[in-house]
Amino acid sequence: MACTNCSTGSAKDGTPRGCKNNGTCGTDSCNKLTVFDWLSNMSLPGGQEPFNCVEVRFKNGRKEFFRNAEKLTLSIGDIVATDASPGHDVGIVTLTGELVKIQMKKKNVDPEGEVAKIYRKATQKDIDIWIEARDKEEPMKVRAREIAIKLNLEMKISDIEFQGDASKATFYYTANDRVDFRQLIKDFAKEFNTRIEMKQVGFRQEAARLGGVGSCGRELCCSTWLTDFRSVNTAAARYQQLSLNPQKLAGQCGKLKCCLNYELDTYLDALKDFPEMETKLYTEKGDAVCQKLDIFKGLMWFAYTNDFAHWHVLQIEQVKEIIAINKQKKKVAAIEDFAIEITEEAAENNFQNVVGQDSLTRFDQPKKKKRPNKKRKPNNSSNNSSKEKNAPKK
């Protein structure tokens, strides 16, 4: 859901006005972590006052809750001046009403506790200072990285966020180890002539702030709707029978993809009916171990310890039957007696020329050369000239 400023009006060169991201709101937090207000069309019971806290969004999806102590008439999309330390900040209202109380409880914020307040609706002067400060962030980030490289600091400055009154700049950085940036802050204060605050974020938080497109073709979950970062380990990939390839399992943050946890519970429920992977089947022909699972079809592939090249497919019920026989200290003759055959149905290639295209093999056969036509019509002009030459002179 884009902001209204991006979709209405345009500059002389045709680019939309608003957050200055040329209308692609997915790149500059216009639709990051948005909440649909499904209570907006419902009126409160008689005599009940609306909840006096609102949710305000700042740069790159950073959201905070503020109390509307002045009882201002606020709606989604209003630009407000909020309390900050020091001075004031400028943000956009993203949620009002009773749904804010639910969001505060979800993020462990006490609705009745101490909450920063909203000063006023932003004036034109506040907006001008805010926009001017936002324009400085990108060239300042380039210069800040140059200074950090010059000091040989192992850190990456990923983003800079100015406060709404341009009195303070917050530098977000990532680093593997602890960084001594005391000299860096002095150089920043001397170079940029403003109050400096350094804030370290994790690699996942960095990807959430900057945004991007994942391997699935969609925007990153952490920058659009995911608010909590749960730990992901390689066991989630093993349970889902995925190849442990770091290049495929890692996201843009360099860590394991958060989506590995999405279907993990479904796989764990399905695996409850399966015997353990380490289970051995004892037969007179030899011991057999499990090599592969098909969780949704309920199949298991076994191979003898002395012949790993040949696999035999068994259903879960048949494996449990053999295990029950082995518990009685008995052995079955061979697992081939319980194995099933899987026949793959060949897909029929019935291609049809539905869009009027020519055949794909039309260039395979060489073109036939045209034979010259021996029967040519006589040229009238040449016949006339020959007749004139052979005519008798008068």
Side-chain angles (χ1 to χ4, degrees):
M1 294 175 57
C3 60
T4 55
N5 291 331
C6 289
S7 57
T8 58
S10 60
K12 293 181 180 179
D13 57 351
T15 58
R17 292 182 298 203
C19 57
K20 295 187 177 180
N21 54 5
N22 297 333
T24 54
C25 292
T27 62
D28 201 19
S29 76
C30 287
N31 63 342
K32 288 183 181 179
L33 306 176
T34 54
V35 178
F36 178 70
D37 189 3
W38 51 275
L39 296 175
S40 59
N41 296 329
M42 300 178 65
S43 58
L44 294 172
Q48 183 176 351
E49 294 184 359
F51 188 58
N52 63 346
C53 287
V54 296
E55 185 187 66
V56 180
R57 175 180 60 81
F58 300 94
K59 184 183 178 182
N60 284 339
R62 180 174 67 89
K63 290 184 177 182
E64 295 181 9
F65 301 100
F66 296 90
R67 195 175 300 281
N68 185 10
E70 303 296 331
K71 295 184 179 181
L72 303 172
T73 304
L74 299 177
S75 58
I76 297 176
D78 289 342
I79 303 175
V80 293
T82 63
D83 187 14
S85 179
H88 69 272
D89 205 349
V90 178
I92 301 173
V93 177
T94 55
L95 199 61
T96 60
E98 294 296 319
L99 205 58
V100 180
K101 187 184 296 184
I102 300 175
Q103 290 294 109
M104 293 177 74
K105 291 181 179 179
K106 182 179 178 182
K107 297 182 179 179
N108 297 324
V109 179
D110 186 10
E112 304 299 331
E114 291 187 4
V115 182
K117 65 178 182 179
I118 294 176
Y119 287 143
R120 61 183 180 274
K121 285 188 177 182
T123 61
Q124 187 61 41
K125 184 178 179 180
D126 295 332
I127 296 174
D128 293 340
I129 296 173
W130 178 45
I131 293 175
E132 185 179 353
R134 289 289 297 270
D135 293 338
K136 296 179 183 178
E137 292 173 355
E138 195 62 29
M140 184 183 291
K141 182 170 65 175
V142 176
R143 179 58 183 155
R145 288 177 175 175
E146 294 175 354
I147 296 174
I149 293 172
K150 186 177 180 181
L151 295 175
N152 296 324
L153 296 177
E154 294 183 0
M155 60 182 296
K156 176 187 175 184
I157 298 174
S158 58
D159 194 18
I160 297 176
E161 182 180 357
F162 257 105
Q163 197 168 281
D165 57 356
S167 62
K168 184 180 73 172
T170 303
F171 289 72
Y172 296 92
Y173 72 96
T174 56
N176 292 323
D177 300 323
R178 188 173 180 179
V179 181
D180 184 10
F181 46 75
R182 288 176 291 182
Q183 183 62 36
L184 181 67
I185 293 178
K186 294 179 182 179
D187 294 345
F188 281 174
K190 183 179 178 181
E191 178 74 21
F192 305 126
N193 195 21
T194 185
R195 185 184 178 92
I196 303 297
E197 180 181 351
M198 304 295 294
K199 184 174 289 188
Q200 185 175 3
V201 295
F203 294 100
R204 297 194 179 201
Q205 285 79 7
E206 179 191 20
R209 287 186 62 83
L210 300 180
V213 179
S215 58
C216 58
R218 299 173 64 90
E219 290 188 60
L220 299 180
C221 298
C222 56
S223 63
T224 51
W225 63 271
L226 191 64
T227 56
D228 56 337
F229 296 98
R230 299 181 182 179
S231 61
V232 186
N233 50 30
T234 55
R238 290 192 182 96
Y239 283 126
Q240 300 176 52
Q241 308 296 315
L242 297 176
S243 175
L244 298 180
N245 187 349
Q247 295 181 348
K248 293 184 178 181
L249 296 180
Q252 291 194 1
C253 58
K255 306 294 182 181
L256 292 175
K257 293 180 181 179
C258 298
C259 54
L260 291 175
N261 282 340
Y262 295 167
E263 298 179 354
L264 180 60
D265 294 338
T266 304
Y267 279 88
L268 291 176
D269 291 339
L271 284 171
K272 289 180 180 178
D273 298 331
F274 278 78
E276 295 182 359
M277 282 281 294
E278 294 79 11
T279 302
K280 284 187 177 182
L281 302 182
Y282 300 100
T283 66
E284 296 178 356
K285 194 175 180 180
D287 299 343
V289 292
C290 183
Q291 300 291 325
K292 178 184 172 183
L293 297 177
D294 191 330
I295 298 175
F296 297 105
K297 290 184 179 180
L299 302 177
M300 300 180 71
W301 279 257
F302 282 86
Y304 290 107
T305 54
N306 54 6
D307 187 11
F308 284 105
H310 296 88
W311 293 6
H312 305 280
V313 187
L314 280 75
Q315 294 181 348
I316 302 176
E317 293 78 9
Q318 296 170 337
V319 175
K320 291 181 179 179
E321 183 180 350
I322 298 175
I323 293 173
I325 296 174
N326 293 152
K327 285 182 178 180
Q328 298 175 3
K329 297 182 180 181
K330 296 180 181 179
K331 294 183 179 180
V332 296
I335 58 174
E336 288 90 335
D337 299 338
F338 299 86
I340 61 173
E341 294 183 1
I342 299 178
T343 57
E344 296 182 357
E345 297 181 358
E348 296 182 359
N349 298 328
N350 295 326
F351 298 109
Q352 296 181 359
N353 190 6
V354 294
V355 292
Q357 296 177 348
D358 294 331
S359 174
L360 295 176
T361 59
R362 63 186 184 274
F363 297 113
D364 295 345
Q365 298 177 357
K367 293 183 178 180
K368 295 181 180 180
K369 295 182 179 180
K370 294 182 179 180
R371 296 181 180 179
N373 190 3
K374 295 181 179 180
K375 296 181 180 180
R376 293 182 179 178
K377 295 181 179 180
N379 193 352
N380 296 330
S381 60
S382 60
N383 293 336
N384 293 335
S385 59
S386 60
K387 288 180 180 179
E388 291 178 356
K389 290 180 181 180
N390 296 328
K393 295 181 178 179
K394 293 181 180 180

